[in-house]
């Protein structure tokens, strides 16, 4: 299959290009498109056959369910069987936006979307291209991140192409995504609600709407029964082995380079950094939000740089860094 790439204006999407993508979706095809978080790989969520193609293209295990993207709250209600107060409060506060809500599903959503489970993840994305596409196609769109399973999420069309060229029909290239980290995933089908994946929503903000939120533990291993399949340890990893350090990691970098290894070092900006041959240094932003928006792009770049190792200085273990640390620790996991 040849993958077509159409550039599109992220602020004022050309209607003919949106129409072309909607036509591909209606025909059961796969379209990658930008959202405010990362690029998604979309298919008609109501078509079992179309959704099956997503799993094939990504090499994704069938037990890992997909987020269904919808144009607005009323479409979300039409595919969910219950709409508890917590869902209503969060949807009204944060949609369109980087929040996926887990709710009991209606039978119109095929098993393949939910991994056979009784709940479905829904979200209204805050990106003009995604919203115009949802309206033009006039269907809910199932869309995981547009990467091969277990690899890094894509924040640019070129990342999508690198992983999925020849495996999907079309990419709408709307330039780099602004958010850079995936959405926050909250299970509101249980009481109290459970944070399954920290993400782009400002940390701590859920509590102001919900009161206490239970945080799922990041300790499950592949193969175990998964209440939240997104809790798989290794989920966002570069191919180059990556290790996290609680200190700045410089000693570790020196040790590795002394062994003749080529090393990438992701350190927090603001200190003076010695030039050392064999070290590819990336000074990362000291604001969590800026760090998050660049994280995957930097990891993609380092992963292309033929390095033996990536050494990361972990940002502090505070609330504001929760999502960034989550992605870094997963990227470092080898099981
Ligand atoms: O920002 C995002 O959420 C991006 C863009 C494209 O919207 N999408 C994304 O999808 O990150 P994906 O498939 O890479 O991650 C969805 C996460 C997975 O960890 C999945 O296991 C979890 O949501 N998930 C989906 N449906 C679920 C369900 N019914 N119950 C529990 N977890 C679910
Ligand atoms: Mg993903």
């Amino acid at each position: 299959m040849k993958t077509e790439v159409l550039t599109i204006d992220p602020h004022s999407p050309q209607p003919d290009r949106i129409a072309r993508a909607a036509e591909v979706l209606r025909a059961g095809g796969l379209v990658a498109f930008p959202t405010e978080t990362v690029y998604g790989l979309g298919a008609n969520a109501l078509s079992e056959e179309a959704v099956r193609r997503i799993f094939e293209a990504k090499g994704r295990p069938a037990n890992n369910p997909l987020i269904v993207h919808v144009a607005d709250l009323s479409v979300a209600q039409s595919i969910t069987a219950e709409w508890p107060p917590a869902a209503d409060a969060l949807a009204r506060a944060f949609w369109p936006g980087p929040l996926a809500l887990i709710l009991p599903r209606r039978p119109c959503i095929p098993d393949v979307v939910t991994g056979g489970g009784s709940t479905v993840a829904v979200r209204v994305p805050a990106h003009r291209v995604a919203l115009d596409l949802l309206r033009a196609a006039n269907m809910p769109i199932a869309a995981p991140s547009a990467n091969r399973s277990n690899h890094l999420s894509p924040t640019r069309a070129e990342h999508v192409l690198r992983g999925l060229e020849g495996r999907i029909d079309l990419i709408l290239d709307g330039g780099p995504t602004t958010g850079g980290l995936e959405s926050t995933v909250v299970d509101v089908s249980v009481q109290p609600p459970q944070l399954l994946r920290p993400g782009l929503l400002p940390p701590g903000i859920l509590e102001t709407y919900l009161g206490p939120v239970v945080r799922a533990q990041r300790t499950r291993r592949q193969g175990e029964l998964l209440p939240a399949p997104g809790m798989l340890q290794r989920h966002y990893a570069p191919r180059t082995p990556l290790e996290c350090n609680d200190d700045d990691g410089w000693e570790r970098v020196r040790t590795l380079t002394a062994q003749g290894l080529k090393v990438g070092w992701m350190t927090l900006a603001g200190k003076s950094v010695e030039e050392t041959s064999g070290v590819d240094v990336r000074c990362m932003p000291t604001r969590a939000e800026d760090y998050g928006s660049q994280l995957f792009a930097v990891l993609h770049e380092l992963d292309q740089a033929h390095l033996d190792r990536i050494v990361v200085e972990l940002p502090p273990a505070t609330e504001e860094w929760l999502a960034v640390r989550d992605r870094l620790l997963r990227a470092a996991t080898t099981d």
Side-chain angles (χ1 to χ4, degrees):
M1 163 193 311
K2 180 155 169 44
T3 301
E4 186 184 348
V5 181
L6 282 178
T7 56
I8 193 157
D9 187 324
H11 308 294
S12 180
Q14 296 84 338
D16 60 321
R17 298 182 190 183
I18 291 287
R20 166 88 192 107
E23 185 187 306
V24 171
L25 289 174
R26 273 194 295 271
L30 300 184
V31 176
F33 59 95
T35 78
E36 80 278 36
T37 60
V38 300
Y39 273 75
L41 177 60
N44 179 358
L46 304 178
S47 161
E48 183 181 330
E49 202 186 321
V51 172
R52 216 172 277 295
R53 292 201 181 110
I54 293 180
F55 286 85
E56 278 161 26
K58 283 183 59 101
R60 182 172 174 115
N63 68 348
N64 194 359
L66 307 178
I67 297 178
V68 177
H69 296 65
V70 292
D72 57 40
L73 193 140
S74 67
V75 185
Q77 288 173 326
S78 75
I79 62 169
T80 52
E82 281 166 38
W83 194 255
D88 206 57
L90 294 182
R92 286 180 198 282
F94 299 115
W95 282 355
L99 171 69
L101 296 175
I102 310 288
L103 286 155
R105 67 158 158 161
R106 288 206 196 181
C108 62
I109 296 297
D111 276 352
V112 60
V113 172
T114 68
S118 61
T119 58
V120 62
V122 275
R123 92 172 182 102
V124 180
H127 193 291
R128 270 297 301 273
V129 170
L131 286 171
D132 285 7
L133 182 59
L134 283 161
R135 290 187 195 116
N138 195 25
M139 60 174 72
I141 300 176
S145 51
N147 50 281
R148 295 290 279 271
S149 190
N150 289 338
H151 291 176
L152 295 167
S153 287
T155 57
R156 294 160 194 244
E158 73 199 58
H159 302 158
V160 179
L161 212 50
R162 210 177 282 151
L164 295 172
E165 182 162 25
R167 307 175 74 88
I168 65 177
D169 299 283
L170 175 66
I171 301 175
L172 289 177
D173 178 359
T177 64
T178 51
L181 289 185
E182 302 88 347
S183 62
T184 302
V185 180
V186 181
D187 188 347
V188 283
S189 73
V190 292
Q191 216 17 279
Q194 229 197 348
L195 175 64
L196 299 186
R197 177 175 75 179
L200 200 56
L201 275 195
I205 201 161
L206 289 172
E207 282 81 359
T208 56
Y209 288 83
L210 296 180
V213 173
V214 174
R215 298 209 174 149
Q217 292 300 308
R218 250 183 22 89
T219 51
R220 279 165 220 293
R221 312 246 155 179
Q222 219 140 0
E224 279 181 39
L225 228 147
L226 300 165
M231 307 300 291
L232 287 178
Q233 283 273 11
R234 185 177 169 84
H235 200 68
Y236 304 92
R239 288 157 201 264
T240 314
L242 178 149
E243 47 184 75
C244 293
N245 277 265
D246 286 318
D247 63 23
D248 71 5
W250 177 238
E251 283 306 317
R252 184 69 186 139
V253 169
R254 289 235 307 234
T255 306
L256 293 169
T257 48
Q259 294 167 10
L261 299 187
K262 282 173 70 190
V263 180
W265 183 36
M266 286 168 65
T267 180
L268 290 163
K271 60 178 87 64
S272 68
V273 170
E274 285 172 48
E275 284 279 328
T276 307
S277 66
V279 183
D280 189 337
V281 183
R282 303 303 161 108
C283 293
M284 300 300 290
T286 50
R287 276 188 62 217
E289 198 184 325
D290 301 335
Y291 193 119
S293 82
Q294 292 181 26
L295 172 59
F296 286 129
V298 170
L299 287 176
H300 274 284
E301 254 176 55
L302 290 175
D303 215 15
Q304 294 289 303
H306 307 288
L307 301 167
D308 301 301
R309 200 72 57 88
I310 300 170
V311 174
V312 176
E313 172 186 3
L314 268 182
T318 56
E319 180 78 20
E320 60 170 333
W321 289 99
L322 189 67
V324 166
R325 284 176 58 99
D326 171 82
R327 302 307 188 271
L328 287 170
L329 290 166
R330 286 167 190 261
T333 312
T334 51
D335 61 351

